[in-house]
Amino acid sequence: MANIELKDRTVLEVVAEFDPFATSGFRPLTPRLIRSLSVAVKNSSETLVYVGTIDGKVILLSFNSSSKTTSFVKSVNVSSSSIVSIHILAGIGRIVGLTDNYVFSFDSYLTEPMRRIGFLKGASVLAMRYRSPNPENSKESKDLRGPSVNGTRVRFLEPISSQFAAVVGKKLILFEIRLSGRSDRNIDFSGKIYEFGSFYASILKDFQCADGISTMAWIDDSVIVGTNGGYTLISSITGRDTLIFSLPESSGHPYLKPFPMHRELLLLVDNVGVIVDGHGNPIGGSLIFRSNPESIGRTKTHVVAASNGRLDVYHRKTGSRVQSIVLASHGSGGPLVMANDESGSGELLMVSMASKICFLSQASAEEQIKDLLRKKFFKEAISLIEELECEGDMTKEICSFVHAQVGFLLLFDLHFEEAVNHFLQSDTMQPSEIFPFIMRDPNRWSLLVPRNRYWGLHPPPIPLEDVVDNGLMAIQREIFLRKAGVDTGADDGVLLSPPSRAELLESAIQNIVRYLEVSRNKDLDSSVKEGVDTLLMYLYRALNLHVEMEKLASSQNNCVVEELETLLEDSGHLRTLAYLYASKGMCSKALDIWRILARNYSAGLLKDPPAGLDVQYSFMKSLSGQWAAATEASHLLEESSDQKLVLQHLEWIADVDQELAVRVLTSKKRIDQLSPDEVLASIDPKKVEVHQRYLQWLIEDQGSDESYFHTMYALSLTKAVIETFQMESSHQNLEPCSGERITLSDGESSSHFSISIREKLQLFLQSSDLYDAEAVLDLIEGSKLWLEKAILYRKLGQEFLVLQILALKLEDSEAAERYCEEIGRNDAYMQLLDMYLDPQNGKEPMYNAAVRLLHNHGESLDPLQVLETLSPDMPLQLASETIQRMLRARVHHHHQGQIVHKLSRAINLDSKLARYEERSRHVQIHDESVCDSCHVRLGTKLFAIYPNDSVVCYKCFRRSGEHICPVTGRDFKREVIFKPGWLVKKP
């Protein structure tokens, strides 16, 4: 039986062996008996094998591909010389062979007598023509039967026929064999037709050729021959020969092997095989054989070379040797003869050695891959998969299956990165197949794991810890065997420096994490998604990846809380647990955790404090941790409409940062807003900022018109201002505030983020009319908040007090005058003037302010009242100029009024005159007069005339109206017509 080397890839496998001579009753006198082989596939199960012996016999065998059995059919004697070659004419059911310098023919089952083709006597080489299925690739499909040597044209070969090329002496003869009994009316032969019972033979063409041809093949238009001098291409149409390449003198005999299925030929130069196409052009790289081949065969993807009792299998594209099969010891059985079905799939190959025939079959792609995986040739297996997929011999589903199988083998071989890479290339592998490697059975997802053992090449899935332990034990076993002198084929690097258990386990978890992260983006069942996310959190926790844990928990996930909460709580990952609770809508539990972290925060994620700064660093990191916890809690409360929950956690958040508390209360993210009364009642009175900001939000953003809220807000602001004012007064005198110059009538408010508390109070007191002004006045009665008092008195309508504060307390003349303008009465100016001249309470008169008032508004005041009000003590030089201007202005206004009065009377008179003239106009109507609008004859009808002299009937007048002209559409109320008068001129 043949031996297959252990490290080889199993491309061919021996399926049967047969001794045709023992079965047929012949016993060979010498072991060198078989000279030629030929194969013909009859159907899916039967294959006919023709064996040519060196003593001139042709033996017919039948091989059953289903049962892998061979049977003897028949044997015939042809001559006493070797059967050089046998060719099968599948189309006409015959065989043609060459022996003892003549060509013979039998029917397929050797039942008819042998026929010699006499005109080929002396033939030394015989080759059958192989044609491409595409007619464009073969010119002889049109031209071969062109003018022959004697000028005769014949038509193209009929389907049931075969063509051959034979070398007879120095002549190359192209002839044809066809069945008898067919109609020959469409065939025009010029020469003699040779009839041999059931078939015809005729010469197509003949050419002169070189001497010494020992090998030949005919493909399409090209007849390629080999001599000791080289290989030559002869055109079957023109007979022109072209040298392909020459052979060196020291080279061996030429050998030429056609590959009809691929329309290629292999030209042998010693141990180098050059593959060319039908035109003699090289295709791809050359094949370098181990030694000079005795025979060559071809499968679909491989070239097989036989020599020295061995078969070497080479990949056609890469040229690498992938398998070696030892058939016999060197020199024990003579040269090997190889044959395969040239017209079929090429999966069956036969090799003769002495008197025995070995039947080899190409292993299926699945078996080849299995064999490589068993030998742990993972790269070779993947290369084979990619090659088969590229050629279309393997579906994408099978490729995915194999990638998953390779991944599991690599995983158990402790190559975790490569394993996951193959997992990711598999589209059919389910993430649940990884679950048993992470969590021991039984667990929540045990029933989801598919019981798929693939090809049974790897053990059942076990936890990663056990995988690593078993792998390390295997490495130790290999080390022991290596020390004992046993070559295990293991990697020397691993044996010399085996990895540690911790390194392997970390690598395994990291790569499984990588696979699960990619799997999260796949379309999976909900239960599988739960397993992926939950187990991913397990692995993050095992690697102590805080950031990844929190990122997964805070994002949209399918983690099962019940499986993780104990694990995370025991391991101290409370932040992750809080995020997880929040993502599942369990806000109450999440907030409880954030409260715990804020009160007793551990800064385990921060770096060690630098030397000498332990206390300060610890304090800073504690503040940072508290604020982070409060911030996360505030984000949850901003979206929560659970009032009880919000108010429950509001206090501790405000203790950390009042700004966060304000955000919680004023959030627009929640669907249902909180009850203002409940919120205000729950706010700690000490949290003044929270209280004020919430009231401000109710009033300004929510537009609340509740007097209670406005009053509460005003009182809160007032208290804060008083406290601030008192603190400042204790250190320095109060300076005039920029806010004291705010216009009392300006109702616009500014942002509370950019102005002081006192400015905020002043703006609110001016803009709101809903607060209780008297309550605020009672609060600031004893303070020096004069501007605020002025605003409040203004709200209460106490004008005198307002003027008194503005003019005497604040000494803001501009504000006082603007307030008088707002009142709109002259007596207000007189009151203000009186205050300036008689401030009382021992204060000096404010003559400059009084002069300013008279200068700005004296023209509108009664001079007599002003003179009566002026104090006798007022310096004359201050008031004289102002009084003179007042008097001149008074006289000027009087004269101007008289002029306007006279002009008005003149215009009135002119208007009356124009109206009279207009009404006094006469219009003459005669029999031909018509309405300018409807063109109806007026006759004795009523009519109307408009200022633009349009005359219309009464009907059109009523329809359009008295001020709109029905002819032009002009509206005389809007577009008045001015007619010149003695005073009014037309513009």
Side-chain angles (χ1 to χ4, degrees), residues 192-265:
K192 183 178 181 181
I193 299 176
Y194 301 90
E195 184 174 0
F196 301 95
S198 60
F199 68 94
Y200 294 101
S202 60
I203 298 176
L204 301 176
K205 291 183 181 181
D206 56 29
F207 307 104
Q208 292 295 321
C209 62
D211 194 11
I213 297 176
S214 59
T215 181
M216 180 173 59
W218 185 8
I219 293 182
D220 293 335
D221 295 343
S222 304
V223 178
I224 300 178
V225 298
T227 64
N228 291 332
Y231 294 97
T232 304
L233 184 147
I234 302 174
S235 172
S236 61
I237 300 175
T238 63
R240 180 182 302 172
D241 58 344
T242 304
L243 180 65
I244 299 177
F245 59 82
S246 302
L247 293 176
E249 295 181 359
S250 60
S251 64
H253 295 289
Y255 181 86
L256 192 152
K257 176 66 177 179
F259 298 142
M261 291 186 298
H262 307 278
R263 303 306 169 191
E264 299 172 352
L265 299 95

Side-chain angles (χ1 to χ4, degrees), residues 421-440:
N421 289 340
H422 286 288
F423 289 156
L424 295 176
Q425 294 183 62
S426 175
D427 296 332
T428 58
M429 179 179 171
Q430 295 296 319
S432 56
E433 298 181 47
I434 298 296
F435 293 173
F437 292 96
I438 306 173
M439 182 176 289
R440 295 184 182 274

Side-chain angles (χ1 to χ4, degrees), residues 582-794:
S583 66
K584 299 302 177 183
M586 306 168 69
C587 295
S588 179
K589 290 186 176 182
L591 290 168
D592 290 339
I593 293 178
W594 291 123
R595 179 169 56 184
I596 294 173
L597 292 174
R599 291 181 177 179
N600 187 17
Y601 187 80
S602 174
L605 296 179
L606 301 179
K607 298 180 179 179
D608 295 334
L613 298 177
D614 292 352
V615 176
Q616 181 181 2
Y617 190 82
S618 177
F619 175 73
M620 293 301 297
K621 69 184 182 184
S622 176
L623 288 181
S624 175
Q626 290 179 358
W627 186 85
T631 301
E632 296 297 341
S634 67
H635 291 162
L636 295 177
L637 294 176
E638 286 176 14
E639 299 180 358
S640 175
S641 299
D642 187 344
Q643 180 170 293
K644 182 179 179 181
L645 184 65
V646 173
L647 299 181
Q648 176 186 353
H649 293 275
L650 182 66
E651 181 178 357
W652 70 266
I653 293 178
D655 292 338
V656 177
D657 189 340
Q658 294 190 37
E659 177 67 27
L660 295 177
V662 173
R663 292 181 185 177
V664 171
L665 295 177
T666 61
S667 173
K668 296 181 179 180
K669 298 179 182 179
R670 62 173 58 96
I671 300 175
D672 300 324
Q673 293 298 332
L674 308 177
S675 170
D677 295 330
E678 296 290 337
V679 172
L680 292 171
S682 64
I683 296 177
D684 187 355
K686 298 180 181 179
K687 305 296 187 300
V688 177
E689 181 181 356
V690 177
H691 189 267
Q692 290 179 0
R693 295 276 296 280
Y694 181 67
L695 286 171
Q696 182 182 4
W697 176 76
L698 286 176
I699 295 170
E700 296 181 0
D701 293 354
Q702 300 299 305
S704 175
D705 56 358
E706 292 288 339
S707 176
Y708 172 71
F709 296 149
H710 285 251
T711 303
M712 186 181 298
Y713 183 50
L715 292 174
S716 178
L717 290 175
T718 304
K719 291 178 182 179
V721 171
I722 292 174
E723 292 176 359
T724 305
F725 190 85
Q726 291 175 350
M727 292 177 61
E728 294 177 352
S729 299
S730 63
H731 295 85
Q732 59 184 3
N733 294 329
L734 180 65
E735 297 180 358
C737 178
S738 61
E740 295 177 353
R741 297 179 180 177
I742 298 177
T743 304
L744 289 177
S745 60
D746 187 2
E748 298 181 358
S749 61
S750 303
S751 173
H752 60 266
F753 295 102
S754 60
I755 59 177
S756 67
I757 186 68
R758 188 173 183 186
E759 290 174 328
K760 189 186 300 185
L761 172 62
Q762 294 170 359
L763 290 173
F764 178 73
L765 293 179
Q766 289 184 92
S767 60
S768 175
D769 296 326
L770 300 177
Y771 59 87
D772 187 351
E774 294 181 355
V776 179
L777 271 174
D778 292 340
L779 185 61
I780 64 174
E781 188 64 33
S783 67
K784 295 183 179 181
L785 302 178
W786 299 114
L787 183 57
E788 288 77 2
K789 290 180 181 180
I791 297 172
L792 293 172
Y793 284 132
R794 173 176 171 271

Side-chain angles (χ1 to χ4, degrees), residues 33 40 109 218 234 261 283 334 344 357 383 393 511 520 627 752 776 802 843:
L33 287 177
Y109 288 94
W218 185 8
I234 302 174
M261 291 186 298
I283 301 175
I357 299 176
S383 298
D393 294 335
N511 285 283
R520 293 194 71 212
W627 186 85
H752 60 266
V776 179
V802 174
K843 195 172 183 180

Side-chain angles (χ1 to χ4, degrees), residues 152-421:
T152 308
R153 290 185 60 89
V154 290
R155 293 189 54 188
F156 176 62
L157 183 65
E158 297 294 326
I160 308 180
S161 62
S162 294
Q163 294 178 349
F164 288 88
V167 177
V168 181
K170 293 185 178 182
K171 184 178 291 188
L172 178 64
I173 300 176
L174 307 182
F175 66 96
E176 178 185 41
I177 295 178
R178 67 173 52 248
L179 287 178
S180 301
R182 292 181 55 85
S183 175
D184 295 335
R185 62 180 180 272
N186 293 328
I187 303 176
D188 180 18
F189 291 107
S190 61
K192 183 178 181 181
I193 299 176
Y194 301 90
E195 184 174 0
F196 301 95
S198 60
F199 68 94
Y200 294 101
S202 60
I203 298 176
L204 301 176
K205 291 183 181 181
D206 56 29
F207 307 104
Q208 292 295 321
C209 62
D211 194 11
I213 297 176
S214 59
T215 181
M216 180 173 59
W218 185 8
I219 293 182
D220 293 335
D221 295 343
S222 304
V223 178
I224 300 178
V225 298
T227 64
N228 291 332
Y231 294 97
T232 304
L233 184 147
I234 302 174
S235 172
S236 61
I237 300 175
T238 63
R240 180 182 302 172
D241 58 344
T242 304
L243 180 65
I244 299 177
F245 59 82
S246 302
L247 293 176
E249 295 181 359
S250 60
S251 64
H253 295 289
Y255 181 86
L256 192 152
K257 176 66 177 179
F259 298 142
M261 291 186 298
H262 307 278
R263 303 306 169 191
E264 299 172 352
L265 299 95
L266 185 143
L267 311 181
L268 189 64
V269 183
D270 292 334
N271 67 326
V272 178
V274 180
I275 298 180
V276 300
D277 59 13
H279 302 287
N281 300 318
I283 301 175
S286 301
L287 299 175
I288 301 177
F289 303 113
R290 182 182 298 188
S291 59
N292 292 355
E294 300 168 3
S295 182
I296 294 177
R298 170 77 188 260
T299 65
K300 185 176 181 180
T301 56
H302 295 82
V303 175
V304 185
S307 64
N308 301 328
R310 176 194 298 267
L311 294 183
D312 290 328
V313 183
Y314 297 85
H315 195 277
R316 165 64 184 86
K317 293 183 178 180
T318 64
S320 59
R321 181 168 58 88
V322 297
Q323 185 183 14
S324 290
I325 304 175
V326 179
L327 298 176
S329 60
H330 180 60
S332 62
L336 302 179
V337 180
M338 194 182 323
N340 59 300
D341 177 27
E342 303 290 359
S343 60
S345 62
E347 294 182 356
L348 184 63
L349 189 70
M350 275 148 286
V351 181
S352 67
M353 47 183 181
S355 60
K356 185 168 60 176
I357 299 176
C358 284
F359 294 84
L360 296 95
S361 174
Q362 182 171 347
S364 64
E366 179 178 324
E367 291 301 325
Q368 294 184 46
I369 297 170
K370 284 183 182 180
D371 181 69
L372 290 172
L373 296 180
R374 291 190 188 99
K375 298 174 181 178
K376 295 188 178 182
F377 295 164
F378 301 123
K379 293 183 179 179
E380 291 78 0
I382 296 304
S383 298
L384 178 58
I385 294 171
E386 294 173 350
E387 176 187 333
L388 294 172
E389 184 180 11
C390 182
E391 294 177 356
D393 294 335
M394 180 172 286
T395 63
K396 190 173 182 180
E397 290 74 14
I398 299 298
C399 291
S400 297
F401 175 87
V402 176
H403 275 296
Q405 174 68 91
V406 174
F408 283 114
L409 289 172
L410 287 168
L411 188 143
F412 280 99
D413 205 36
L414 306 185
H415 294 86
F416 302 110
E417 183 177 359
E418 294 85 348
V420 171
N421 289 340

Side-chain angles (χ1 to χ4, degrees), residues 761-833:
L761 172 62
Q762 294 170 359
L763 290 173
F764 178 73
L765 293 179
Q766 289 184 92
S767 60
S768 175
D769 296 326
L770 300 177
Y771 59 87
D772 187 351
E774 294 181 355
V776 179
L777 271 174
D778 292 340
L779 185 61
I780 64 174
E781 188 64 33
S783 67
K784 295 183 179 181
L785 302 178
W786 299 114
L787 183 57
E788 288 77 2
K789 290 180 181 180
I791 297 172
L792 293 172
Y793 284 132
R794 173 176 171 271
K795 294 288 184 181
L796 295 174
Q798 299 183 21
E799 300 172 357
F800 179 79
L801 294 177
V802 174
L803 288 174
Q804 191 177 42
I805 292 173
L806 294 176
L808 303 181
K809 297 297 182 180
L810 301 178
E811 296 183 359
D812 189 346
S813 301
E814 293 182 5
E817 292 178 12
R818 284 196 298 270
Y819 183 60
C820 290
E821 291 178 3
E822 182 182 341
I823 294 174
R825 302 193 309 273
N826 289 335
D827 62 332
Y829 292 107
M830 297 303 300
Q831 281 184 340
L832 180 59
L833 179 62

